[in-house]
Amino acid sequence: MSIHDRDEVYIGGSWRRSAGGVIEVESAITGAVMGRVPDSTPHEVADAVAAARAAFPAWSQTTVDHRLQYLTLLAKKVDERNDELTRLISCEVGTPLRVSTAVQVGLPRRVLESYRDLMYRFELQERIGDSLVLREPIGVVAAITAWNYPLQQVLGKVAAALATGCTVVLKPSEVAPLSAFVVADIIDEIGLPPGVFNLVSGRGDTVGEELVAHPDVDMVTFTGSTAAGRRIGEVAARTVKRVALELGGKSANIILDDADLAQAVKVGVANCFTNTGQTCTALTRMLVPRTQLTQVEDLVRARLATYTLGDPLDPSTTMGPLASAAQRDRVRDYIRVGIAEGADLIYGGLDEPTDVPTGFFVTPTAFSNVRQDMRIAREEIFGPVLSILPYDTEDDAVEIANDTEYGLAGAVWSADHDRALRIARRMRTGAVDINGSYFNMLAPFGGYKQSGNGRELGLYGLLEFYELKSVQGAPVES
Ligand code: NAD
């Protein structure tokens, strides 16, 4: 495997050799170094913000048509580099190739297209009485992203910012930064005006926080952990900048007593274990009627036995490794916690998987008879671990589902759609899927409570990037 050495940052329309340190990127598959990126200096961060600031007046005045042409070019170039991006992310994150193609690269590609189409339908001004109300781009946006779906987060944020007339400084995750460098290559090739997009890389508590604190950054759009989100909220408050936070989750999958159990478990397990459980919306708490617990345990065991662990680049693999050694250790620690807390380990556990490469593998694991006061039911594990919680009444199920600091996603299963919708309405969470319905990338995506305060995707995602201005006494256009 060739090593992806990137020693430059992208500032003001050109690549510049970084004067900072080096961050090594490890392959999830083997643990070996697969790339290096700069740990940018404070000076580089300041220059990137200054370049974005300088580019904003002209870029924000361009027409929607003009800006969308760049999104079209960006989408075309992503298509051309589809295979390279897919493999790169599979190696960095551990996602099996098939999922990588559809979700890691396919989804962001479609999101790009959706923003392009939505912008053409967007009303940027409206009359409210005597006032003309204008939507204007907010300014310089710092985009800070996590590693689990790296391209989705980068393109989702960058495309929305560019489409709405904002300029951007991107700081991707230090764990999986390489696809962001490909995006910067593409942006350089398509000739976006200098300073409209800038890329710095590095650690969160230094490079990330310098961006958040910078007085010339108008908005931070952030995807990552709730702990980092809290810190970003505090630091951003000093300069009263807007923050759109997309944070962690501990989502509940409520299976009602009249549900199609086999289907509910099949889809619920697939959801929880996709991307080796490294998904913010993963349905990690399966809530089942106590009377059906044994049946559900059998079904869960049978589903987990179908996974083939291995090299994500091998087409027969259905579950890859975790993204990093730190993530593997964290997940194994939580499995130890679950055992110590007295939950029933019904599948997997601490045994090392055999016949897999030397990377960061963990056996898919399920606990049953989990109580809501256990840490494995309350804390985000972010790995292939399912907690099954029995409940007695429908009200108990809703109470357990809502008894969490998080509120990102959820699901309900019932043969009675009205009953399912009644439960969905009672769940304090940003999304609920009834009977395994599909992800809708035009619907707003984001969290209640400590899962965040922003919305991405669709019209609501674009709205985050605007200020509102009320102009009184403006002439009425005929
Ligand atoms: P993380 O919070 O450790 O890091 C995310 C990003 O924030 C990285 O780029 C990191 O360098 C940066 N960062 C960290 N501390 C910072 C600080 N003080 N100031 C500025 N930047 C800082 O998260 P992670 O481990 O990369 O990702 C996993 C987390 O992301 C999980 O909690 C997951 O649920 C969450 N996530 C949420 C969504 C969503 O849309 N809600 C999507 C994907 C992942």
Side-chain angles (χ1 to χ4, degrees), residues 227-422:
R230 277 189 205 111
R231 173 72 188 156
I232 285 169
E234 282 170 26
V235 174
R238 294 180 202 149
T239 44
V240 198
K241 52 175 63 86
R242 187 177 302 169
V243 283
L245 302 174
E246 305 293 338
L247 310 176
K250 191 76 192 176
S251 298
N253 183 7
I254 302 181
I255 301 180
L256 295 175
D257 53 10
D258 60 351
D260 175 345
L261 266 195
Q263 186 64 7
V265 169
K266 180 178 168 200
V267 176
V269 165
N271 173 298
C272 177
F273 290 85
T274 294
N275 205 22
T276 321
Q278 303 170 116
T279 302
C280 53
T281 51
L283 300 169
T284 50
R285 292 183 295 147
M286 186 178 278
L287 276 47
V288 302
R290 199 175 297 279
T291 50
Q292 294 172 331
L293 188 60
T294 314
Q295 228 180 319
V296 167
E297 288 173 355
D298 290 343
L299 288 165
V300 166
R301 276 193 210 93
R303 291 310 309 170
L304 292 182
T306 65
Y307 281 102
T308 307
L309 257 68
D311 184 337
L313 300 180
D314 177 340
S316 64
T317 294
T318 53
M319 188 180 293
L322 291 154
S324 65
Q327 194 57 24
R328 176 200 53 203
D329 296 346
R330 173 191 162 95
V331 172
R332 288 175 61 80
D333 280 349
Y334 270 110
I335 296 173
R336 268 184 216 105
V337 166
I339 294 168
E341 285 179 315
D344 298 344
L345 179 67
I346 63 158
Y347 195 91
L350 289 166
D351 290 344
E352 303 269 349
T354 49
D355 294 333
V356 292
T358 50
F360 312 124
F361 288 86
V362 173
T363 309
T365 294
F367 286 103
S368 186
N369 266 314
V370 175
R371 289 191 322 269
Q372 187 54 18
D373 61 351
M374 294 179 175
R375 283 181 61 200
I376 57 166
R378 305 198 75 79
E379 298 174 19
E380 186 184 46
I381 299 173
F382 223 54
V385 182
L386 173 70
S387 294
I388 305 171
L389 293 86
Y391 69 82
D392 294 308
T393 65
E394 208 176 280
D395 284 347
D396 288 345
V398 174
E399 199 180 311
I400 294 169
N402 288 337
D403 180 19
T404 165
E405 70 187 32
Y406 295 111
L408 189 56
V412 191
W413 288 82
S414 170
D416 176 345
H417 282 255
D418 292 332
R419 185 181 177 205
L421 182 57
R422 279 198 301 277

Side-chain angles (χ1 to χ4, degrees), residues 144-149 153 171-175 202-210 212 222-229 231-232 235 245-249 278-281 327 330 380 382 406 408 445-447 451 456:
I144 302 177
T145 55
W147 46 262
N148 58 334
Y149 292 100
Q153 289 158 25
K171 191 211 83 67
S173 164
E174 59 274 38
V175 178
R203 304 192 191 286
D205 55 356
T206 52
V207 177
E209 206 155 310
E210 282 152 21
V212 175
F222 172 76
T223 298
S225 61
T226 293
R231 173 72 188 156
I232 285 169
V235 174
L245 302 174
E246 305 293 338
L247 310 176
Q278 303 170 116
T279 302
C280 53
T281 51
Q327 194 57 24
R330 173 191 162 95
E380 186 184 46
F382 223 54
Y406 295 111
L408 189 56
F445 176 89
S451 285
E456 292 196 320

